[in-house]
Amino acid sequence: MPTVDDEGAVDPNVTFESLGLVSTLADACKQLGWKTPSKIQAESIPSSLSGKDVIALAETGSGKTGAFALPILQSLLDNPSPHYALVLTPTRELALQIGEQFEALGSSLGARTCVIVGGVDMMTQAIALMKKPHIVVATPGRIVDHFENTKGFHMRNLKYLVMDEADRMLTQDFEVEVDKILKVIPRDRRTFLFSATMTDKVRKLQRASLTNPVKIEVSKKYQTVEKLIQYYMFIPSKFKDCYLAWLLNENQGQSVIIFVSTCANAQRTAILLNNLGFSTIPLHGQMPQTKRIGSLNKFKSQNKSILIATDVASRGLDIPHVDIVVNFDIPTNSKDYIHRVGRTARAGRAGKSVTMVTQYDVELLQRIEKLIEKKLANYPSEEEEVMLMLERVTEAQRFAAMNMKDAEQAKKQGKRDREEMSGGGSKSSRGGKGGFKKRK
């Protein structure tokens, strides 16, 4: 009897045990609040347990981590050995979250997990790798650094390779690193490739790394969940900050993620909103890793109610309490819209999204509506109420601009100081003999 019908719904009689998982892992799923398998889990786990390579196409928030983690952990029970599985993922935040899920699912089995990402001391990571964890979750660039520079480190015993968010990993130019990894790990292994979309690069990677894979596609449409109410606000570009402040005032007490297009705008908007009295924190790729983790933890623990993020937070992050997603900068890639708004209305909860559309963004909105085959509703706003905040917002904009300028000057001064301390004016610093080693 099929586990998923033609409409994509999971058979209500399907349980984790009926998919072939041992009771210890089924119990671990229940402790995480997973009552029944998701569509991607119901379709892929039986094939994975039977020893097949799997390529799976599934949208964000579909339960992909469980789909590859559970078969790996069950296989580990029969043959516990170090460096048993390597999971590659494009962002540090997603790597940390996958590591947490492996630890939660595998704690009763004694499975050890290690997360290897950039922005963390290499020596500390090398020590962790030498302790021979069973599962290594990594971003491609940093694990290649360890293959090339950490003496004695190898993964010749590897039995499983997982490439998660493969489409995004390849669009972020990790192809060279992935090629290097494929050359140094055993060919005799199981490979799971998970992707939201099937691109030409993903097809090429599939041919290079998988053997006679089972292809699973649980959603052929680009769609958003039913319990997500989607709005747009059509506003003048010069008053965007004002409308954002008004919107947050209207939704006080709610947990909000605001998506912006650049790291600088994430920082600027956080300073502006904090100056207006909102409890905000930024998350973007130019922050040190410790600060990124700190921002995420403060938001997860609801210590801060508003997270201002670039697309570094648009995929994979599972934060159940998010009430609203605001697209302050409308995404230029329509598929990114689906990943962004997928941060709310998770695990059966309701949620809403508001996309701010200026006179320059109309075509982008139309592309999004065409992709999701749905018209966004107009979010009701009162221009007179919004404009009452203009004076305060203008003052906050000036404060944010000064703060950003001071930070940039401090950064430049710090760079000059470091160059002087290291003899920055000498020939060696300009690429002559003894110059800096090219960064890998």
Side-chain angles (χ1 to χ4, degrees):
M1 186 168 64
T3 58
V4 178
D5 65 22
D6 292 336
E7 298 293 317
V10 180
D11 184 333
N13 296 317
V14 172
T15 63
F16 286 105
E17 290 95 335
S18 71
L19 296 178
L21 292 173
V22 295
S23 58
T24 310
L25 283 172
D27 290 342
C29 292
K30 288 165 189 165
Q31 287 172 9
L32 283 180
W34 302 355
K35 295 176 183 176
T36 55
S38 69
K39 297 175 193 175
I40 189 65
Q41 291 164 358
E43 284 285 271
S44 66
I45 286 174
S47 297
S48 302
L49 290 175
S50 68
K52 300 279 189 183
D53 283 5
V54 170
I55 176 166
L57 302 181
E59 69 273 16
T60 183
S62 60
K64 288 185 288 181
T65 305
F68 59 74
L70 291 165
I72 289 172
L73 290 168
Q74 180 144 316
S75 175
L76 185 64
L77 274 172
D78 300 326
N79 182 26
S81 59
H83 300 155
Y84 195 75
L86 172 63
V87 181
L88 299 177
T89 190
T91 69
R92 301 171 185 182
E93 286 72 24
L94 189 50
L96 291 164
Q97 184 169 288
I98 291 170
E100 287 172 2
Q101 288 211 348
F102 263 104
E103 286 175 359
L105 290 167
S107 59
S108 58
L109 312 178
R112 299 187 305 278
T113 303
C114 175
V115 177
I116 302 296
V117 295
V120 179
D121 178 60
M122 282 277 289
M123 184 56 69
T124 304
Q125 291 180 341
I127 292 168
L129 288 169
M130 291 308 169
K131 289 181 179 177
K132 302 189 182 301
H134 301 108
I135 315 294
V136 177
V137 184
T139 48
R142 180 46 66 97
I143 197 67
V144 166
D145 285 344
H146 283 285
F147 279 131
E148 293 179 344
N149 301 307
T150 298
K151 191 174 180 181
F153 172 62
H154 62 81
M155 298 194 84
R156 290 195 284 267
N157 298 323
L158 188 80
K159 298 295 186 291
Y160 284 88
L161 171 67
V162 179
M163 289 176 279
D164 190 27
E165 301 281 3
D167 53 344
R168 188 174 178 193
M169 195 150 56
L170 296 175
T171 57
Q172 291 185 353
D173 295 328
F174 282 127
E175 287 176 88
V176 173
E177 287 82 357
V178 170
D179 283 344
K180 287 180 179 180
I181 292 164
L182 292 175
K183 285 175 183 175
V184 298
I185 61 174
R187 292 192 175 198
D188 183 19
R189 62 170 194 271
R190 299 278 65 77
T191 304
F192 302 152
L193 192 155
F194 284 75
S195 182
T197 56
M198 176 56 85
T199 64
D200 289 340
K201 287 184 176 182
V202 172
R203 286 190 187 91
K204 183 180 175 184
L205 181 59
Q206 173 194 334
R207 291 193 294 271
S209 59
L210 280 75
T211 305
N212 298 321
V214 174
K215 184 177 178 181
I216 295 160
E217 189 169 2
V218 298
S219 178
K220 294 181 181 178
K221 279 185 172 183
Y222 295 106
Q223 57 192 39
T224 51
V225 296
E226 289 180 13
K227 290 194 175 182
L228 172 66
I229 306 169
Q230 301 172 75
Y231 295 100
Y232 76 92
M233 288 176 70
F234 190 62
I235 58 176
S237 177
K238 63 180 178 179
F239 296 133
K240 270 181 87 173
D241 288 337
C242 219
Y243 273 87
L244 178 62
W246 174 85
L247 180 66
L248 294 175
N249 258 342
E250 289 290 299
N251 292 277
Q252 279 190 2
Q254 303 281 291
S255 177
V256 184
I257 297 182
I258 300 169
F259 281 105
V260 296
S261 57
T262 66
C263 299
N265 204 18
Q267 202 68 36
R268 182 201 71 88
T269 308
I271 295 167
L272 181 141
L273 291 177
N274 280 325
N275 186 261
L276 289 171
F278 296 102
S279 177
T280 68
I281 196 160
L283 175 66
H284 57 78
Q286 289 181 1
M287 293 168 63
Q289 183 61 22
T290 49
K291 284 194 173 181
R292 285 165 70 169
I293 295 170
S295 289
L296 208 50
N297 287 339
K298 283 178 183 176
F299 186 66
K300 279 185 174 181
S301 64
Q302 302 184 49
N303 188 284
K304 296 284 185 180
S305 60
I306 301 169
L307 182 72
I308 303 171
T310 57
D311 281 314
V312 76
S314 69
R315 286 211 199 183
L317 295 187
D318 188 12
I319 307 170
H321 64 77
V322 178
D323 300 305
I324 307 170
V325 166
V326 177
N327 287 306
F328 183 70
D329 294 328
I330 191 168
T332 53
N333 185 334
S334 304
K335 291 170 190 173
D336 288 338
Y337 171 85
I338 296 170
H339 297 300
R340 287 182 178 188
V341 299
R343 297 311 97 213
T344 187
R346 297 177 73 84
R349 288 167 55 102
K352 69 181 176 184
S353 66
V354 182
T355 298
M356 306 186 87
V357 182
T358 71
Q359 63 269 36
Y360 309 113
D361 305 323
V362 176
E363 187 182 343
L364 293 174
L365 174 65
Q366 290 170 342
R367 283 188 209 160
I368 289 167
E369 291 180 330
K370 184 178 178 182
L371 182 72
I372 64 174
E373 298 180 0
K374 185 181 291 186
K375 289 283 185 185
L376 274 59
N378 187 12
Y379 193 91
S381 61
E382 294 291 337
E383 186 179 353
E384 288 183 10
E385 286 184 22
V386 176
M387 289 300 105
L388 288 174
M389 303 186 70
L390 182 59
E391 189 177 340
R392 285 185 60 217
V393 170
T394 303
E395 183 59 36
Q397 285 173 328
R398 283 196 288 267
F399 177 82
M402 288 173 57
N403 198 296
M404 293 287 286
K405 186 178 179 181
D406 290 346
E408 185 60 30
Q409 287 177 344
K411 187 177 176 182
K412 286 179 180 177
Q413 185 60 48
K415 185 179 179 182
R416 283 196 293 268
D417 292 345
R418 288 192 297 274
E419 285 176 350
E420 286 176 8
M421 288 179 68
S422 60
S426 69
K427 286 184 180 180
S428 64
S429 69
R430 294 193 295 270
K433 191 175 179 181
F436 291 116
K437 190 176 180 181
K438 187 177 178 182
R439 188 177 176 184
K440 293 179 180 177

